[in-house]
Amino acid sequence: MHSDRDIVERRLRRVLDERIRPAVHALSVPLDVGIWQVPGEPVPVAEGLAADYRPTGAGAHWGPAWTTSWFRLSGRVPEEWAGRRIEAVVDLGFDPSEPGFSAEGLVYRPDGTAVKALNPRNAWLPVTEQAAGDEEFICYVEAAANPLVMHSGPEDHSYAITPLGGRAPWLDEPGASGGEPLYRLRRLDLAVFDAEVYELVHDMEVLDQLMRELPEQSPRRWQILRSLSNALDAVDLQDIGGTATAARAILAPALAPPAASGEHRVSAIGHAHIDTAWLWPLRETVRKVARTVSNVTQLMDEHPEFRFVMSQAQQLAWLKEHRPEVYERAQEKAKTGQFVPTGSLWVEPDTNITGGEALARQFIHGKRFYLEEFGVETEDMWLPDTFGYNAAMPQLMKLAGVRWFLTQKISWNTTNKFPHHTFWWEGIDGTRIFSHFPPVDTYNSDLSGAEVAHSVRNFQDKAGANRSLAPFGYGDGGGGPTREMLARAERLADLEGAARVSIEKPGDFFAKALEEYPDAPVWVGELYLEFHRGTLTSQIETKQGNRRSEHLLREAELWAATAALRTGAEYPYEALDRLWKTVLLHQFHDILPGTSIAWVHREAEETYRQIAAELHELIASAQTALAGPAGADGSEVVFNAAPHARGGAAALGGAVRTRREPATVVPVAENGGHVLDNGLVRIVVDERGLVTSAYDIDADREALPPGGVANLLQLHQDFPNQWDAWDVDAFYRNTVTDLTDAESVTVVDGAVKVVRAFGASRVEQTLSLAPGARRLDVDTVMDWHETEKMLKAAFPLDVRAGHSTAQVPFGHVERPTHTNTSWDAAKFEVCAHRFLHVGERDWGAAVVNDSTYGHDVTRDVREDGGTTTTVRLSLARAPRFPDPDTDQGTHRLRYALVIGADVEDAIREGYHLNLPERTVPGSAEVAPLVSVDSPAVVVETVKLADDRSGDVVVRLYEAHGGRATALLTPGFRIASATATDLLERPRAADEPSCAVVEGGVRLRLRPFQILTVRLVPERG
């Protein structure tokens, strides 16, 4: 027999797409349509239902960008359709290639209850299961004219932005597009749903997809091909409905053979990744959540086997607030086990930039919401789309009662393929969490034959395991699973030649995977994403807002708790809860990394300003209560919220001082430059404003290499191959301009002020050295107006450092400074929080900062045999997508060089830079509410317990990477002390880390251990 494979396959594609699929709704009549365009922001449902509609119909244009239009659809079911299932087909002008990224709608009954959503691949509505004939149908559609800002997919960076600085108008708020409609109504019909044709579609589709994945030499492939060919012959293209049954009968034998007993098992988990903001604003996400949950709960009614996970508590909280009737449906389906709260977090946050305490609160608020609203103790962390994972996460997960971890994003690595799909992830303290990385390589699977087959081929752990997970459902913009996906899953449950697919909950998968593979391999340390490195720098104001909010919240809790115990002041529980949740919301992995449209970031910046203003008020109120009346001598209380003493003020306490002018080191002119010398270090700034010497007087050692200059601003061309705001590609280093020219170098207020201009930008830097400090502070005001450029600040150091040490949440990580392997070379841009340190055995230096996360560390051996290790901070970028005005404007940031520093010094100076002293008129010493006698143990949080019992909660950690024993001394009498989990619940009775002794609480901590201690004050 001659091969006709190509002909049959091409014939099948055309007949299926052009004839059989349309025949599912072949019999139809048009609906009557009315439209009302909302004049501003979205309105309540009742207002939409009561609006004044004008007639419209198929072919009409609607929807300027970001606006909302309401449609009223009505019609009568023809009498001759009696007894048949009737659906409405509503195509608002969808782009079928982009579900969740363009126009969407939510359908309501006349009483205002939600039915389901409409999106590009889900354009049908249930009308009646069995028509009586001549019955009236009416519904309303709240349609969002969301613009298609970007074509999705990792290989496609087709942006809605024109070359050479132009911009698509819909990147901004409503009205920017001039009112031009984006969409045109296509089809709005009542139609008969032909179930037999629908089933034929999926019989053919599943067999076709399976066939194309089988080897050409496989007999099974050719058997399927012949069955499909015969079925096509049986289909009368003029009577598809009448011949569908016969065609299905021909295909039945091909669908009957079961899978081999050893076939790979795929646990299909219904999912809809909903970016809490990205190419749409927060307000639109509120509506996306309502649409998605309406979709999946409707699907659950018809498919009891369907299971769906939702992973962000914030989104469910929005649903409860804005659409309580949809939320009630979710709760009902949770009771049946179909709707599965998961993830354990408030949102799916960035975990590179988010601070340690904030990550703890992500778990606290996420888990507590699920417990209170659904009665569910979540046990997994679901973070498929975050851009890398810090090495403190395993311990935080365990402390929150989380047993399993799922991610997918590491499949986007551009240099090294991650070696495992099921593994134990070990954090910096030694905690291990059982983890899975779905080999389907997407968190938006549609359960196609190609994706299922890819899961099997791609699975890295075949020698020891035979099970993987596939999150299925349209996502990013939401939407979720469809009935078509469930039809595929049903056929792939037990089909020869395919993996066995079963729909189940994440916990079921993880329990089976662990039982099958308990000795899975171990990955130690951070999960570094070899991609999206630009997210450490893009959108300065958003990152600064987060960093400063985290520290302000620390201060507010500390001083409010101290005032509550010392003065009886009221503790602001509600305000702190609300403010924390707002900060956690903005840590979502497309807000904090700086990868959302301008609208999102402008709103975030304004929100951060409001947060700061409210927290400053809370802090001032508590400090005023603690400081007492001002003394006649003009005394003031200096409050120190840092975990290390300074300036006479104890850590976490306040000291009385007589008001005086702050001491400064006055520069001395020398050879056209200036010298700052405080007896500990000597800094030379030349006539160009560059630091030419940073001399450690005690160690008799120069920090800079011969001929080297520090605080050198360097400008790079920054045009990555794709994903502008997300990516920094290694070739950016090929072009660099050293900014050595200065407009002026002057002495101002005891400091050296340097002004530089370049391109369209201007930078003013103030270099100062305080008495008793080994820290050269650089206060930078930057008026940034570059395009596709990146600005770095370089500190070359005369240090042979084999590794750098960077602060991460609750500890630090060491990374090689060499590029021996491709894994090392790929880390050419890395994250550090408050500090990055390099050093030799007995001497080192650190760069600390107040709002910068992107760093790079390189080293070079000089001709004199010495080694130069260069630390650079990434100060600014200028990507054009998705916000063409990214970071344009004025910014202030601070960083510093700490000379002759070990890691302990770097930790201390990082906290001090981020938690400046506060001065309040008063005369009362403020003893710390708690103190710790070991420099290795850092107090991260002091607050009152969330249950409003008045107990004091202290969270601390071992910061140096070694074992520590310390005495925690409360500044009040305690009845008991208990080690707790993150939710402030007692841990196991045999917890050895915390014991009450005379004078306080004895702590024993392993390297980088996080410990939460609940102190019960004596009462009465």
Side-chain angles (χ1 to χ4, degrees):
M1 178 183 291
H2 298 294
S3 172
D4 59 352
R5 177 174 62 82
D6 183 60
I7 292 172
V8 174
E9 289 177 356
R10 291 168 58 195
R11 177 191 180 194
L12 174 62
R13 284 282 171 89
R14 185 178 186 195
V15 172
L16 191 55
D17 291 342
E18 296 183 21
R19 293 292 186 269
I20 301 178
R21 287 187 205 279
V24 173
H25 293 111
L27 194 58
S28 63
V29 295
L31 287 161
D32 293 325
V33 185
I35 186 174
W36 173 62
Q37 182 170 315
V38 179
E41 283 293 279
V43 299
V45 174
E47 188 174 340
L49 298 177
D52 184 17
Y53 288 82
R54 62 176 175 80
T56 188
H61 293 271
W62 69 280
W66 300 121
T67 63
T68 300
S69 295
W70 280 77
F71 294 98
R72 183 181 185 274
L73 310 179
S74 61
R76 303 194 75 84
V77 177
E79 290 187 6
E80 59 269 26
W81 291 1
R84 308 188 71 174
R85 177 183 170 109
I86 310 302
E87 297 181 346
V89 181
V90 181
D91 186 341
L92 299 173
F94 297 130
D95 179 341
S97 68
E98 299 295 334
F101 284 81
S102 58
E104 299 174 70
L106 183 55
V107 182
Y108 300 92
R109 300 179 182 89
D111 65 2
T113 57
V115 181
K116 68 179 290 289
L118 297 168
N119 64 49
R121 297 188 195 172
N122 199 341
W124 64 275
L125 301 172
V127 174
T128 179
E129 195 64 36
Q130 190 170 12
D134 198 34
E135 56 204 277
E136 185 179 22
F137 168 73
I138 183 169
C139 72
Y140 296 81
V141 180
E142 180 191 24
N146 298 336
L148 182 59
V149 177
M150 180 189 76
H151 293 287
S152 63
E155 301 304 324
D156 188 348
H157 56 288
S158 303
Y159 305 151
I161 186 169
T162 54
L164 302 178
R167 63 189 292 140
W170 51 75
L171 291 172
D172 297 300
E173 287 88 338
S177 64
E180 294 299 318
L182 300 180
Y183 297 103
R184 183 172 64 86
L185 299 175
R186 288 202 181 101
R187 182 179 182 185
L188 304 102
D189 292 344
L190 277 179
V192 173
F193 174 75
D194 193 321
E196 195 69 1
V197 174
Y198 174 84
E199 299 295 343
L200 176 61
V201 167
H202 295 291
D203 289 349
M204 286 186 161
E205 181 183 69
V206 167
L207 287 172
D208 176 38
Q209 292 174 349
L210 171 61
M211 174 186 67
R212 293 171 191 269
E213 295 301 321
L214 292 170
E216 287 190 25
Q217 300 79 11
S218 166
R220 173 73 165 146
R221 177 168 183 156
W222 290 93
Q223 292 161 6
I224 293 173
L225 181 76
R226 194 53 47 213
S227 294
L228 287 167
S229 178
N230 294 338
L232 288 170
D233 291 340
V235 173
D236 183 341
L237 298 184
Q238 279 65 53
D239 184 18
I240 292 173
T243 55
T245 300
R248 292 197 70 206
I250 293 171
L251 294 176
L255 289 163
S261 59
E263 284 289 357
H264 187 77
R265 294 181 178 270
V266 174
S267 295
I269 312 293
H271 177 48
H273 182 67
I274 305 176
D275 283 314
T276 298
W278 180 27
L279 305 180
W280 47 84
L282 289 170
R283 67 92 151 140
E284 193 55 33
T285 310
V286 174
R287 300 202 293 177
K288 284 177 176 288
V289 171
R291 295 179 199 126
T292 298
V293 175
S294 297
N295 262 355
V296 299
T297 52
Q298 188 277 334
L299 202 57
M300 289 168 186
D301 289 340
E302 299 188 7
H303 297 271
E305 79 285 359
F306 173 43
R307 300 289 182 270
F308 175 81
V309 301
M310 197 152 182
S311 58
Q312 302 188 68
Q314 169 68 87
Q315 295 182 358
L316 288 168
W318 277 336
L319 197 63
K320 180 182 180 182
E321 177 185 358
H322 296 282
R323 299 311 310 271
E325 81 285 1
V326 179
Y327 184 68
E328 288 174 10
R329 286 273 287 157
Q331 287 186 309
E332 291 169 6
K333 295 301 183 182
K335 292 175 183 175
T336 68
Q338 293 176 280
F339 190 95
V340 185
T342 193
S344 305
L345 299 163
W346 188 248
V347 297
E348 292 182 10
D350 176 276
T351 74
N352 284 321
I353 303 168
T354 301
E357 183 60 25
L359 287 170
R361 303 303 175 98
Q362 289 283 355
F363 283 108
I364 290 165
H365 287 289
K367 288 199 57 125
R368 188 169 288 146
F369 181 89
Y370 293 137
L371 279 165
E372 293 175 354
E373 295 292 323
F374 292 88
V376 173
E377 177 86 41
T378 52
E379 293 187 313
D380 55 348
M381 188 168 97
W382 184 279
L383 275 182
D385 189 32
T386 297
F387 311 144
Y389 307 89
N390 76 74
M393 293 307 303
Q395 185 179 187
L396 285 169
M397 282 188 264
K398 185 174 181 179
L399 289 171
V402 169
R403 302 173 62 196
W404 329 112
F405 170 62
L406 177 135
T407 180
Q408 182 272 324
K409 200 68 173 187
I410 305 298
S411 69
W412 286 41
N413 274 6
T414 55
T415 304
N416 299 284
K417 183 177 178 64
F418 195 77
H420 316 298
H421 284 105
T422 301
F423 59 100
W424 290 95
W425 181 19
E426 182 179 314
I428 51 176
D429 73 311
T431 299
R432 291 181 178 179
I433 293 289
F434 193 70
S435 305
H436 185 68
F437 167 27
V440 68
D441 281 351
T442 178
Y443 49 82
N444 295 326
S445 172
D446 62 3
L447 295 183
S448 67
E451 288 181 346
V452 172
H454 178 74
S455 289
V456 178
R457 288 194 301 267
N458 189 40
F459 188 55
Q460 299 279 84
D461 301 278
K462 295 181 178 73
N466 196 31
R467 188 180 297 274
S468 67
L469 185 151
F472 74 95
Y474 295 124
D476 288 330
T482 64
R483 63 184 179 184
E484 290 78 12
M485 296 176 195
L486 297 181
R488 292 180 203 124
E490 179 184 2
R491 288 161 175 79
L492 290 170
D494 193 10
L495 180 62
E496 182 186 357
R500 294 176 184 266
V501 175
S502 59
I503 294 174
E504 56 187 357
K505 301 176 183 178
D508 295 335
F509 161 77
F510 276 108
K512 294 172 186 175
L514 177 58
E515 181 180 9
E516 176 186 64
Y517 202 28
D519 56 347
V522 176
W523 180 268
V524 178
E526 65 183 331
L527 291 169
Y528 177 91
L529 177 64
E530 297 173 354
F531 206 39
H532 288 3
R533 302 168 183 89
T535 61
L536 300 176
T537 305
S538 298
Q539 297 288 358
I540 298 168
E541 296 289 337
T542 298
K543 289 176 170 60
Q544 286 184 333
N546 177 75
R547 173 82 72 91
R548 292 166 186 174
S549 295
E550 289 179 346
H551 288 83
L552 287 170
L553 281 161
R554 171 198 172 94
E555 290 191 77
E557 289 183 333
L558 168 65
W559 302 126
T562 305
L565 265 70
R566 296 280 167 73
T567 73
E570 184 176 352
Y571 190 79
Y573 290 103
E574 289 85 358
L576 289 170
D577 180 79
R578 171 175 46 80
L579 290 166
W580 261 117
K581 287 175 179 174
T582 303
V583 172
L584 300 181
L585 162 62
H586 288 83
Q587 290 168 345
F588 178 74
H589 63 253
D590 274 310
I591 303 178
L592 184 52
T595 52
S596 290
I597 56 174
W599 185 353
V600 172
H601 289 290
R602 277 197 286 270
E603 285 190 340
E605 290 159 16
E606 177 57 32
T607 298
Y608 285 129
R609 284 190 285 271
Q610 295 170 5
I611 289 169
E614 187 170 354
L615 286 170
H616 280 300
E617 288 183 8
L618 292 176
I619 293 166
S621 175
Q623 290 182 337
T624 299
L626 289 164
D633 59 354
S635 63
E636 56 192 13
V637 179
V638 178
F639 286 87
N640 175 24
H644 308 89
R646 61 176 160 183
L652 316 178
V656 177
R657 288 184 196 159
T658 301
R659 192 170 300 157
R660 64 182 187 273
E661 291 298 317
T664 59
V665 176
V666 179
V668 176
E670 181 181 281
N671 300 325
H674 302 280
V675 177
L676 294 159
D677 189 329
N678 65 0
L680 297 176
V681 294
R682 185 173 187 269
I683 306 296
V684 178
V685 182
D686 72 3
E687 71 281 0
R688 301 168 298 171
L690 300 172
V691 177
T692 58
S693 175
Y695 192 75
D696 183 341
I697 296 171
D698 287 346
D700 188 22
R701 175 165 179 162
E702 173 62 53
L704 306 187
V709 293
N711 193 40
L712 172 65
L713 298 181
Q714 296 182 301
L715 193 66
H716 294 271
Q717 183 169 285
D718 180 24
F719 187 62
N721 286 339
Q722 61 185 94
W723 299 103
D724 290 8
W726 290 258
D727 288 352
V728 171
D729 288 334
F731 53 73
Y732 87 90
R733 296 175 295 189
N734 297 346
T735 56
V736 59
T737 301
D738 292 343
L739 304 179
T740 58
D741 293 336
E743 284 192 352
S744 62
V745 180
T746 57
V747 174
V748 178
D749 296 330
V752 178
K753 183 175 182 179
V754 183
V755 179
R756 304 187 193 281
F758 53 93
S761 301
R762 182 181 179 88
V763 174
E764 297 182 2
Q765 293 192 304
T766 303
L767 283 65
S768 61
L769 184 65
R774 309 180 69 85
R775 200 179 82 194
L776 172 65
D777 288 345
V778 183
D779 192 335
T780 300
V781 177
M782 174 173 52
D783 189 18
W784 176 249
H785 295 284
E786 303 307 299
T787 299
E788 294 168 351
K789 297 286 195 295
M790 180 161 61
L791 184 66
K792 293 249 183 184
F795 289 86
L797 299 165
D798 189 8
V799 171
R800 182 169 176 79
H803 64 265
S804 64
T805 301
Q807 187 182 49
V808 298
F810 295 109
H812 54 258
V813 295
E814 295 179 350
R815 301 182 179 103
T817 56
H818 59 68
T819 55
N820 281 0
T821 71
S822 58
W823 294 89
D824 302 323
K827 294 182 180 180
F828 58 81
E829 184 83 358
V830 295
C831 183
H833 281 225
R834 301 183 191 95
F835 74 81
L836 192 145
H837 176 272
V838 293
E840 297 170 358
R841 184 178 297 275
D842 58 353
W843 192 91
V847 176
V848 298
N849 73 85
D850 77 342
S851 55
T852 301
Y853 295 90
H855 295 73
D856 71 90
V857 182
T858 56
R859 67 181 211 159
D860 183 57
V861 176
R862 307 186 300 268
E863 290 187 4
D864 66 3
T867 300
T868 299
T869 302
T870 301
V871 176
R872 299 199 304 166
L873 301 89
S874 301
L875 302 183
R877 299 186 65 223
R880 291 169 48 248
F881 183 83
D883 175 8
D885 295 327
T886 299
D887 288 333
Q888 302 298 296
T890 302
H891 312 279
R892 182 185 179 189
L893 50 89
R894 295 184 303 157
Y895 54 87
L897 175 65
V898 188
I899 301 159
D902 57 19
V903 172
E904 180 180 339
D905 297 323
I907 294 168
R908 181 190 63 250
E909 296 301 328
Y911 274 106
H912 284 176
L913 188 67
N914 283 271
L915 289 163
E917 296 173 326
R918 291 178 181 269
T919 303
V920 176
S923 57
E925 292 283 341
V926 181
L929 200 59
V930 296
S931 60
V932 178
D933 66 355
S934 169
V937 178
V938 171
V939 176
E940 186 68 14
T941 298
V942 179
K943 59 186 285 290
L944 295 193
D946 292 342
D947 63 7
R948 307 196 180 197
S949 62
D951 295 352
V952 175
V953 172
V954 181
R955 189 151 26 252
L956 40 79
Y957 67 102
E958 196 290 316
H960 294 175
R963 294 187 179 274
T965 300
L967 183 68
L968 173 66
T969 304
F972 54 94
R973 296 179 65 85
I974 64 170
S976 65
T978 308
T980 74
D981 66 6
L982 292 185
L983 275 70
E984 301 171 10
R985 303 173 298 193
R987 297 188 68 189
D990 61 349
E991 170 61 55
S993 303
C994 169
V996 177
V997 298
E998 184 176 353
V1001 183
R1002 178 62 60 191
L1003 309 176
R1004 297 183 186 278
L1005 287 84
R1006 65 180 180 273
F1008 298 125
Q1009 182 179 355
I1010 304 165
L1011 183 62
T1012 304
V1013 181
R1014 183 172 183 139
L1015 304 172
V1016 179
E1018 284 190 357
R1019 298 183 173 95

